[in-house]
Amino acid sequence: MTYVENIFVCVAAPLLVSMFFMGKKYYRFFFFAFIGMGACLLSAYINTFFAQLYQADLMNASTQIAPVVEEVMKLLPLLFYLLIFDPESEKISSSVLTIAVSFATFENIVYLTQSGAGNLVHLLIRGFGTGAMHIVCGAIICYGLVYVWQRDWLKIAGTAGLLGASITFHATYNLLIAHGGATQYIAYALPLVSLLLAGVVKQVTSRMPRPSQAEEAGADSSQQ
Amino acid sequence: MIELLDNLTQSAVTLTAFIAAGIFYYRSRQQAFYLLACFLGCFMLGTFHWTLYILLFDTTPQVFYVSELAWNASYLFLLTMTYTLASEEEKKFRHPAMLLVPLFCLPQLALYLTFGEIMGNLIMVGLTMTAALFAMRGFLFARRQSGPARQKQYFHGAVLVTVFLEYGLWTSSCFWISDTLTNPYFWFDFLLSAALLALVPALKKAVTA
């Protein structure tokens, strides 16, 4: 039996003490780090509850229950922050990523206590796989929310869409892992490949002229 | 085998339509194309996950349909699109034929409730029925217009066809006949893929009019 709440206390205690020494400027970072780890802790309880309720085995729980519970648990505190404090877009993105990172870190700590830390290669793959997967899900929510919450007509549908996208990505990752074999390695590569592709697309689109700029450039050349 | 082929086709079609809508949005920067791209993107994600599950495990999910979340999000985008595309005058327009939408949807909702869970069916039918109601209003309103405003009828018509095919698909899934092409489920799904693809040119016609 793993006492996750004890692990939470053990990890959070030094962070809590250091928070007071770091100063007010860093309160938000620590606050969201605690929220991310707390979300992970609560997700473990809720996952177990639903797995018991639906009599789900490990495979069904990890592919159909865990992605939904974990992504919703990560989004709920953020929605509260957005609705109550109406923060600037920079604060939204850093908060989402802090929640995602701390969630992934705490999940890895719990995994280490359960499975041991003997196999470095496996842990390296897992760290860059599962850890990066939570970051990708966080990035989907992060960059999406910054865009969506600036447009009133898009707030409800946009938030639901982002949650749907992050849950589906998470579920696809878990699905490939649960299948085992070669597909497991596709899953481990999926988050980093997705991040790489997103970076390439961003670079390409930033270099392409906007349609309005292209039209202006075309107009200029025709005048010459 | 036919189910896998059907799902692979739909994944490819929605991905193509999503890219097309994204390109149109990039060129025109129009809100309607953005919403259509979001609708098709979410729909594609749901279908892709469903297809992958069938491909890897040769069965449908046993506990919870993750894909339904992505599909519900896509219907929310469709609903937002049909609502925001309407002019102020159109929003005030009423016609008795609009009653056909709840008359068509609600009896089928009763059927779904006897087969599946309550919450998921209420959300799915609620979203699609409201989107169809707005589309029916837009269709009837556009038919009364002349000139470019009339072009919106194609988009609203395409939305109505999409919703109609969705209901056909859900209802036929309640009475599963076989895993072959004799099952109307697959025909509805192939037609739905075509209808989803048709949404892109239909919206282009409505927006550029």
Side-chain angles (χ1 to χ4, degrees):
Chain A
M1 185 171 176
T2 310
Y3 298 96
V4 274
E5 61 284 349
N6 297 1
I7 298 171
F8 177 78
V9 171
C10 182
V11 175
L15 288 173
L16 187 69
V17 175
S18 63
M19 185 178 89
F20 294 110
F21 285 100
M22 296 282 276
K24 271 189 176 176
K25 196 180 163 187
Y26 297 96
Y27 276 11
R28 198 166 49 85
F29 168 78
F30 281 104
F31 184 67
F32 281 106
F34 292 136
I35 283 179
M37 291 194 293
C40 186
L41 176 71
L42 285 174
S43 298
Y45 290 133
I46 298 170
N47 280 337
T48 313
F49 168 75
F50 279 115
Q52 284 289 321
L53 186 72
Y54 293 113
Q55 295 293 306
D57 57 13
L58 184 65
M59 201 280 282
N60 281 325
S62 65
T63 57
Q64 293 151 55
I65 295 172
V68 183
V69 170
E70 290 180 8
E71 292 309 316
V72 169
M73 288 306 292
K74 280 194 279 183
L75 186 69
L76 283 180
L78 197 76
L79 278 184
F80 180 80
Y81 178 58
L82 288 172
L83 287 168
I84 304 296
F85 296 100
D86 198 15
E88 299 154 16
S89 52
E90 287 171 21
K91 287 184 178 173
I92 299 175
S93 49
S94 61
S95 309
V96 181
L97 287 176
T98 310
I99 289 177
V101 168
S102 52
F103 190 102
T105 307
F106 190 72
E107 198 181 58
N108 277 350
I109 293 169
V110 175
Y111 178 82
L112 286 174
T113 56
Q114 282 178 329
S115 311
N119 192 340
L120 178 65
V121 178
H122 178 71
L123 290 178
L124 203 65
I125 294 170
R126 192 196 141 82
F128 278 106
T130 312
M133 183 272 295
H134 280 292
I135 305 300
V136 172
C137 290
I140 292 171
I141 298 276
C142 156
Y143 293 109
L145 278 185
V146 169
Y147 183 85
V148 160
W149 277 70
Q150 289 169 350
R151 289 154 182 83
D152 287 337
W153 50 270
L154 196 60
K155 272 185 183 173
I156 299 171
T159 309
L162 290 168
L163 183 65
S166 62
I167 288 174
T168 313
F169 186 85
H170 192 153
T172 304
Y173 176 86
N174 283 10
L175 198 65
L176 293 168
I177 294 280
H179 186 255
T183 50
Q184 199 173 330
Y185 294 99
I186 298 172
Y188 285 130
L190 187 69
L192 285 179
V193 171
S194 306
L195 282 175
L196 204 70
L197 276 177
V200 169
V201 169
K202 201 180 169 187
Q203 281 289 320
V204 169
T205 49
S206 66
R207 284 179 189 173
M208 278 165 72
R210 289 263 174 110
S212 55
Q213 291 171 336
E215 279 164 22
E216 282 167 20
D220 289 345
S221 60
S222 63
Q223 278 168 8
Q224 287 164 5
Chain B
M1 185 62 191
I2 194 74
E3 189 172 13
L4 189 62
L5 182 73
D6 168 30
N7 287 311
L8 282 172
T9 310
Q10 196 162 79
S11 297
V13 164
T14 45
L15 178 65
T16 312
F18 164 68
I19 292 169
I23 291 170
F24 282 129
Y25 170 69
Y26 181 77
R27 283 184 184 162
S28 65
R29 298 278 154 182
Q30 278 178 313
Q31 180 188 314
F33 281 121
Y34 180 82
L35 286 169
L36 184 66
C38 290
F39 162 68
L40 291 165
C42 279
F43 202 96
M44 184 261 295
L45 276 176
T47 310
F48 173 72
H49 182 266
W50 186 264
T51 310
L52 195 68
Y53 200 100
I54 291 173
L55 190 70
L56 292 178
F57 296 101
D58 207 23
T59 178
T60 53
Q62 304 298 302
V63 179
F64 182 79
Y65 295 165
V66 171
S67 302
E68 259 186 19
L69 292 171
W71 287 328
N72 279 337
S74 74
Y75 299 137
L76 203 52
F77 280 117
L78 186 71
L79 176 61
T80 310
M81 189 163 47
T82 49
Y83 180 76
T84 53
L85 205 64
S87 62
E88 285 306 315
E89 197 188 344
E90 190 185 316
K91 282 176 187 170
K92 289 174 191 154
F93 178 75
R94 297 287 180 273
H95 193 280
M98 286 167 67
L99 285 171
L100 285 172
V101 174
L103 277 176
F104 174 75
C105 298
L106 292 176
Q108 294 190 82
L109 170 66
L111 173 75
Y112 306 151
L113 290 176
T114 58
F115 278 89
E117 45 148 9
I118 298 170
M119 200 56 161
N121 281 316
L122 283 177
I123 293 171
M124 225 155 188
V125 170
L127 289 172
T128 46
M129 190 175 74
T130 317
L133 204 65
F134 289 155
M136 181 64 104
R137 185 186 64 187
F139 181 76
L140 295 168
F141 183 79
R143 294 280 297 171
R144 287 167 176 238
Q145 308 299 305
S146 58
R150 203 178 159 82
Q151 299 294 316
K152 278 189 182 175
Q153 63 172 320
Y154 298 109
F155 173 71
H156 290 303
V159 173
L160 284 173
V161 169
T162 305
V163 174
F164 171 79
L165 290 169
E166 276 285 11
Y167 277 82
L169 186 79
W170 297 336
T171 303
S172 58
S173 73
C174 295
F175 308 100
W176 195 262
I177 298 170
S178 68
D179 287 333
T180 62
L181 276 175
T182 53
N183 192 340
Y185 174 89
F186 297 116
W187 291 107
F188 277 118
D189 215 14
F190 280 122
L191 287 171
L192 178 66
S193 303
L196 289 169
L197 191 63
L199 280 173
V200 182
L203 184 65
K204 191 169 183 284
K205 214 164 188 174
V207 168
T208 51

